[in-house]
Amino acid sequence: RWIKFEEKVEDGGERWSTPHVPALSLHSLFQLRTCLQNGAMLLDLDATSFKEIIDKALSGQPEEAELQPALRERLAALLLLQPQHQPTKSLLQLLAELGLSLCRGRKASCPIRHAPTASSPGQSEPRTQLSKTPLKEQLRNRFKKKVPPGAEAAHIAVGEVEFLEKPLAAFIRLRRGVSLGSLAEVSLPSRFLFILLGPPKVKAYHEVGRAMATLLADELFQRVARQAEHREDLIAGIEAFLDELIVLPPGKWDPSARIPPPSHLPSPRRRTAVHPLDQQPHGNGDMTAAGDRASPGHPASGEELERTGRLFGGLLRDIRRKAVWYGSDFSDALHPQCLSAVLYIYLATVTNAITFGGMLGDATANMQGVLESFLGTAFAGFVFCLFSGQPLTILSSTGPVLIFERLLFSFSQDHSLDYLEFRLWIGLWVAFFGVVLVATEASHLVRYFTRFTEEGFCALISLIFIYDSLKKMLSLADAFPINWQYRLDNVTSYSCTCNLRRLFNAILTCLTTLHCPPLPSIQSAHLFLPSGTALEPGRAPPTTLARLSRTQCLDQGGHLLGTSCQYVPDVTLISFLLFGGTFLFCIALKRFRSSRYFPVGVRKLVSDFAVILAILASCAVDAVLGLETPKLLVPSELKPTNPARGWVVFPFGANPWWVCLVSVVPAVLVTILIFMDQQITAVILNRREYKLQKGAGFHLDLLCVSLLMVITSVTGLPWYVSATVISLAHLESLRKESATSAPGEHPEFLGIREQRLTGLAVFILMGVSVFMAPVLKHIPMPVLYGVFLHMGVTALNSIQLTDRARLLLMPAKHQPDLAYLRHVPLRRVHLFTVIQLLCLALLWVLKSTVAAIIFPVMV
């Protein structure tokens, strides 16, 4: 059988082979051409049953091959017999049949009604006539799930007939697809039929039938066969097929070997091009152009980025474009895949908010902390997803914004200015400049962003994610040091006691001088002294207190004494195991979609929930071991991190009046930062390769970010802009693929599930995270750092720069067959890659200094 590739019934008739590319002999194609030239051909035949088709095909033979009435009846009776199909059986059916066969083999008390009727050797089972209606086996056949919607069946009947003296061939095309009863393996309308019968002395019938099936499975020949008006049109179609044929010399390959299907097939349009891709000149082509042919990366430069010449013209066009899809932005989210995306992005966003909140707290003396980061992320993200032009974008604090906050706080402290009020005026000016950029349609400059810029920015942000996750893990070695000095043989010498000598010295001073200094209170602790022992001057007091924990000892003013006091379990080791295990789980489960195990539905479900399953598995391992790994700590109270500030920042009162004017200077820098960061991320998310159908909204997105600057500045919350890596992870978690694919064919990427509900749900969960602290505290931070590493690596692997960087380490003979390598000299590819890597290194150095605030401009 064929859908796109050939499948054969293996020896024994038990199972279908793996799909493979059919290998045909050249002689079989020549014989097929001869059959079509000399045999009967019925085009646009009006028939409603298989019997009617056979009668017309047998009576329509050429005069030199006209059949006698008796012979015609014998052939019709033969062709109208019910064909034997090889059904696709489930595992349960195979096990049931195995049990029945074992039962029959032992001839033990097996019910006779379950055993099939046996036939003696040499006798064939009686075959029934073809049914005019589909059988129950056809309707229940699970193989129909593999057939694309709208497909039609073609039937090929070839074989040897003893009572024929010369071959008989017929090609039939029906005017419309007709269901031919129980003829096909699954119930499908039929359009084409090919019959080739002949005497046993000729043995090539089977190969000619394979050649016909291969032709009818070819999209270009299908087009010719559907439009053909005469015999010569079909012959021309075979000639065109032969023109594309590639002959493998005998002796240089194994004809019995099955060629596996390729991962990508050339499109019919590319095959019919006058100048195919392989025949284009291999000169000093343009590197970027070749890269774009291989993987179109730039957004469609259509109306989205065209200037209208009117104030807010681009914004109004964005609103009109997105308003049409607003209702479907919610209905399209009703899919289980969206639940997986919500949980995945929520945990990533929570981790990011805690990380940046902690760093903001350190940089601003807790004027902005973890709680402000949570509330700001929830509010800004929710509003953006509700009104933005590209709701798949995830807002977050970014590195350049963090560096600007640190510099601004230091400047305010050095010049005795109120930090939050100064920041408020900067935010207001940034919002004003953002509205001006929207009004003047400055986003049209996005069309000038090249692949060089996009890849450099995406690579930098991805590397920052990877670096930060590894840095966080390495910092655990300081909090939970690895016990390098521990020796199992010295375990008897390890001890740790609570020393309270300072407490007893204070008591002796009180008894001898009658001057009692403030004594530390001892709660829930008992002092154990030998009976009859009195504290006397000059005698060393007892220095240990029994049954005190480490925390209680330190709280009572004592200190720990002993060789094992610094001992902690290997928390760092298990943390790294959780970190690496989560990362590897995510990778393995994401690739499970293309695995050979389990049905397609199970593989797809596991792949969609890969990150969630990896997090749950790692949390289960951590819970079973019970070690005190660092956990996710979420604020549990709704109050400012710094008690000295409130929830509203007033514009006047703490700073001189001229601060509102001076704020214009840093506001210009922040505006450039916000514009570049936002729009480069928008360009990456709206690439043509993601097949987004609802369009972008560059002007509307920038307006939303600008207006949110006003609210976050007034409330003293962090500033937010599009987060590249998390947004890319959001897109990847919402990939749509074809539900049906032919055996051997890879699922087709259909695009992204574009909707608003996943983003809204993520930020709603962010807002209620304060009340979910008892649940979230069981998630180890190393597990979330592993998710961060997975997001960074996935985003880094999605750009062409990574592929070209690998080429630098590969000998030429081992390099993959990439499209741009066929048209661009290798030295030029390497030069382009090296320049990109040098610029990336410069950006990394710039990011690590105080000048990091201008790095988007440098990009």
Side-chain angles (χ1 to χ4, degrees):
R1 68 186 179 191
W2 281 257
I3 293 185
K4 286 184 179 293
F5 303 99
E6 183 181 15
E7 294 178 90
K8 297 179 180 178
V9 178
E10 303 285 23
D11 293 341
E14 293 288 335
R15 62 183 290 271
W16 287 101
S17 69
T18 57
H20 54 275
V21 179
L24 304 174
S25 65
L26 193 60
H27 187 62
S28 66
L29 288 167
F30 291 152
Q31 285 185 313
L32 174 62
R33 182 175 59 183
T34 302
C35 290
L36 294 179
Q37 287 173 340
N38 302 327
M41 183 167 295
L42 303 177
L43 300 179
D44 291 334
L45 178 66
D46 280 319
T48 58
S49 67
F50 188 54
K51 184 178 185 306
E52 185 180 355
I53 295 172
I54 294 300
D55 291 341
K56 292 185 178 181
L58 295 179
S59 61
Q61 292 293 313
E63 293 182 2
E64 62 273 10
E66 188 174 357
L67 302 173
Q68 297 297 326
L71 186 59
R72 200 157 50 220
E73 291 179 4
R74 295 183 66 182
L75 285 174
L78 176 65
L79 291 172
L80 289 174
L81 291 176
Q82 173 64 46
Q84 295 179 351
H85 298 297
Q86 173 63 33
T88 303
K89 300 177 181 178
S90 66
L91 180 61
L92 292 177
Q93 290 174 324
L94 293 175
L95 292 176
E97 292 181 3
L98 178 62
L100 289 175
S101 63
L102 292 176
C103 187
R104 291 196 298 270
R106 291 195 306 270
K107 294 185 179 180
S109 56
C110 293
I112 298 177
R113 61 179 178 271
H114 291 306
T117 304
S119 59
S120 59
Q123 296 180 354
S124 60
E125 297 183 6
R127 296 176 60 185
T128 60
Q129 291 291 319
L130 189 73
S131 173
K132 294 182 179 180
T133 58
L135 302 176
K136 290 189 294 184
E137 291 78 6
Q138 290 177 278
L139 300 176
R140 297 175 182 174
N141 197 331
R142 296 183 305 152
F143 182 70
K144 192 170 184 179
K145 296 180 179 179
K146 296 288 185 181
V147 180
E152 294 178 329
H155 305 277
I156 298 169
V158 296
E160 303 169 358
V161 181
E162 296 179 354
F163 52 81
L164 280 179
E165 296 180 357
K166 53 185 178 182
L168 176 148
F171 179 84
I172 302 105
R173 184 186 70 196
L174 302 179
R175 185 178 298 275
R176 57 184 178 275
V178 177
S179 177
L180 299 180
S182 59
L183 182 61
E185 182 181 355
V186 294
S187 179
L188 287 174
S190 302
R191 175 81 64 170
F192 297 101
L193 295 96
F194 177 72
I195 301 172
L196 177 60
L197 303 175
K201 59 183 179 181
V202 181
K203 302 296 184 183
Y205 302 127
H206 182 261
E207 289 303 312
V208 174
R210 291 184 61 245
M212 187 75 249
T214 304
L215 278 169
L216 288 175
D218 182 74
E219 293 184 33
L220 294 185
F221 187 82
Q222 281 182 34
R223 190 180 305 168
V224 172
R226 290 177 183 274
Q227 299 174 356
E229 297 180 358
H230 307 284
R231 187 189 305 268
E232 291 74 17
D233 296 334
L234 280 180
I235 304 302
I238 295 181
E239 296 293 344
F241 184 85
L242 289 171
D243 288 341
E244 291 189 77
L245 204 63
I246 297 176
V247 179
L248 296 177
K252 301 301 181 182
W253 73 296
D254 183 6
S256 64
R258 292 171 177 170
I259 304 174
S263 57
H264 300 286
L265 294 174
S267 64
R269 181 180 56 84
R270 180 177 169 187
R271 288 174 55 191
T272 56
V274 178
H275 300 288
L277 191 62
D278 291 340
Q279 298 177 6
Q280 291 181 4
H282 288 211
N284 292 332
D286 180 63
M287 175 67 210
T288 305
D292 289 340
R293 283 197 300 268
S295 176
H298 299 285
S301 56
E303 63 162 2
E304 299 168 354
L305 298 178
E306 289 181 356
R307 300 194 66 176
T308 63
R310 303 187 305 271
L311 285 179
F312 296 103
L315 174 64
L316 295 176
R317 193 162 49 188
D318 283 352
I319 294 175
R320 285 194 296 267
R321 184 188 312 113
K322 302 303 292 188
V324 179
W325 301 100
Y326 200 79
S328 65
D329 284 344
F330 295 91
S331 59
D332 290 348
L334 302 179
H335 192 276
Q337 186 182 17
C338 294
L339 175 61
S340 167
V342 167
L343 297 177
Y344 172 30
I345 302 303
Y346 164 67
L347 291 175
T349 309
V350 164
T351 308
N352 193 61
I354 289 177
T355 303
F356 277 98
M359 290 188 290
L360 270 174
D362 295 338
T364 63
N366 286 330
M367 286 296 181
Q368 298 178 74
V370 176
L371 180 64
E372 286 80 6
S373 179
F374 262 77
L375 295 179
T377 303
F379 174 78
F382 181 85
V383 173
F384 186 86
C385 287
L386 197 59
F387 299 109
S388 67
Q390 183 49 271
L392 296 175
T393 304
I394 301 296
L395 295 190
S396 174
S397 297
T398 59
V401 174
L402 174 65
I403 293 174
F404 177 81
E405 298 278 11
R406 180 183 293 114
L407 295 176
L408 181 63
F409 183 79
S410 299
F411 181 85
S412 301
Q413 294 292 104
D414 295 341
H415 295 83
S416 301
L417 298 176
D418 185 83
Y419 160 69
L420 291 179
E421 185 179 314
F422 192 14
R423 180 178 178 273
L424 168 62
W425 281 108
I426 295 176
L428 294 177
W429 280 112
V430 170
F432 171 75
F433 292 145
V435 173
V436 171
L437 292 175
V438 173
T440 56
E441 299 179 303
S443 295
H444 83 282
L445 297 173
V446 166
R447 66 169 66 241
Y448 300 109
F449 291 169
T450 63
R451 175 184 293 275
F452 192 98
T453 303
E454 298 168 22
E455 291 185 344
F457 183 81
C458 186
L460 179 65
I461 302 301
S462 302
L463 289 175
I464 290 175
F465 264 68
I466 296 172
Y467 172 78
D468 286 344
S469 61
L470 295 174
K471 181 180 177 181
K472 287 288 184 181
M473 289 304 301
L474 292 174
S475 66
L476 292 178
D478 298 331
F480 305 97
I482 300 176
N483 307 296
W484 301 106
Q485 290 78 25
Y486 180 82
R487 299 293 181 271
L488 182 62
D489 193 52
N490 299 335
V491 67
T492 55
S493 63
Y494 297 148
S495 64
C496 182
T497 58
C498 179
N499 191 312
L500 295 176
R501 183 180 297 275
R502 289 165 49 192
L503 174 62
F504 284 103
N505 287 342
I507 296 175
L508 289 177
T509 302
C510 179
L511 292 175
T512 56
T513 64
L514 298 179
H515 177 70
C516 296
L519 298 179
S521 61
I522 301 179
Q523 300 174 355
S524 67
H526 302 279
L527 185 64
F528 290 88
L529 298 176
S531 59
T533 303
L535 289 175
E536 300 177 1
R539 181 176 177 180
T543 60
T544 60
L545 203 60
R547 291 198 295 271
L548 282 182
S549 68
R550 175 180 179 275
T551 305
Q552 290 174 332
C553 177
L554 297 178
D555 289 344
Q556 306 307 328
H559 65 278
L560 302 175
L561 183 65
T563 55
S564 65
C565 290
Q566 300 303 317
Y567 175 83
V568 293
D570 281 330
V571 173
T572 300
L573 176 61
I574 189 60
S575 296
F576 270 95
L577 291 177
L578 292 174
F579 171 74
T582 304
F583 172 71
L584 295 177
F585 275 162
C586 291
I587 296 294
L589 294 178
K590 274 291 183 185
R591 294 178 179 174
F592 193 69
R593 184 188 297 267
S594 58
S595 170
R596 297 177 181 268
Y597 302 101
F598 299 102
V600 177
V602 176
R603 297 200 306 265
K604 186 180 179 188
L605 187 65
V606 171
S607 178
D608 289 341
F609 286 84
V611 178
I612 303 304
L613 292 176
I615 292 174
L616 292 177
S618 299
C619 291
V621 171
D622 178 75
V624 170
L625 295 178
L627 294 179
E628 296 182 0
T629 52
K631 298 296 193 295
L632 176 62
L633 298 179
V634 179
S636 57
E637 296 181 348
L638 289 173
K639 62 180 182 180
T641 306
N642 191 326
R645 57 154 292 183
W647 285 117
V648 176
V649 179
F650 295 98
F652 297 103
N655 290 335
W657 64 269
W658 46 263
V659 170
C660 63
L661 303 178
V662 175
S663 303
V664 175
V665 178
V668 172
L669 192 59
V670 177
T671 302
I672 299 174
L673 186 153
I674 295 295
F675 179 82
M676 296 295 293
D677 211 346
Q678 172 67 33
Q679 300 297 52
I680 291 177
T681 302
V683 168
I684 294 172
L685 295 183
N686 289 284
R687 285 177 173 175
R688 286 197 301 267
E689 61 197 54
Y690 289 119
K691 299 183 179 180
L692 300 180
Q693 301 297 320
K694 299 182 180 180
F698 295 96
H699 309 281
L700 182 56
D701 289 348
L702 184 59
L703 178 67
C704 291
V705 170
S706 301
L707 296 181
L708 285 172
M709 288 287 291
V710 177
I711 302 175
T712 53
S713 299
V714 170
T715 55
L717 300 177
W719 292 331
Y720 294 96
V721 73
S722 297
T724 307
V725 173
I726 300 181
S727 299
L728 283 174
H730 192 200
L731 255 68
E732 290 294 327
S733 65
L734 293 170
R735 290 173 64 93
K736 292 190 299 182
E737 293 182 344
S738 56
T740 59
S741 56
E745 183 186 24
H746 295 272
E748 180 186 0
F749 172 63
L750 302 178
I752 304 297
R753 204 172 299 279
E754 300 176 63
Q755 36 72 45
R756 298 179 184 270
L757 205 55
T758 53
L760 292 174
V762 165
F763 294 111
I764 289 174
L765 288 176
M766 280 289 297
V768 301
S769 293
V770 176
F771 308 103
M772 298 168 59
V775 176
L776 298 176
K777 69 180 182 181
H778 296 291
I779 302 178
M781 289 302 295
V783 172
L784 299 181
Y785 295 148
V787 175
F788 258 46
L789 179 64
H790 171 256
M791 289 193 299
V793 171
T794 302
L796 194 62
N797 287 331
S798 68
I799 57 177
Q800 191 192 86
L801 172 61
T802 306
D803 296 332
R804 286 187 275 104
R806 294 192 185 106
L807 295 179
L808 295 173
L809 307 176
M810 291 184 190
K813 64 179 181 179
H814 295 302
Q815 292 174 352
D817 185 21
L818 300 172
Y820 51 82
L821 291 181
R822 299 183 182 184
H823 309 283
V824 184
L826 186 60
R827 64 181 182 276
R828 191 169 181 183
V829 175
H830 288 339
L831 177 62
F832 185 81
T833 306
V834 169
I835 293 175
Q836 265 192 305
L837 292 177
L838 290 176
C839 292
L840 181 61
L842 177 62
L843 287 174
W844 184 270
V845 173
L846 186 67
K847 177 202 76 71
S848 304
T849 64
V850 177
I853 190 174
I854 64 170
F855 106 89
V857 182
M858 299 298 294
V859 171

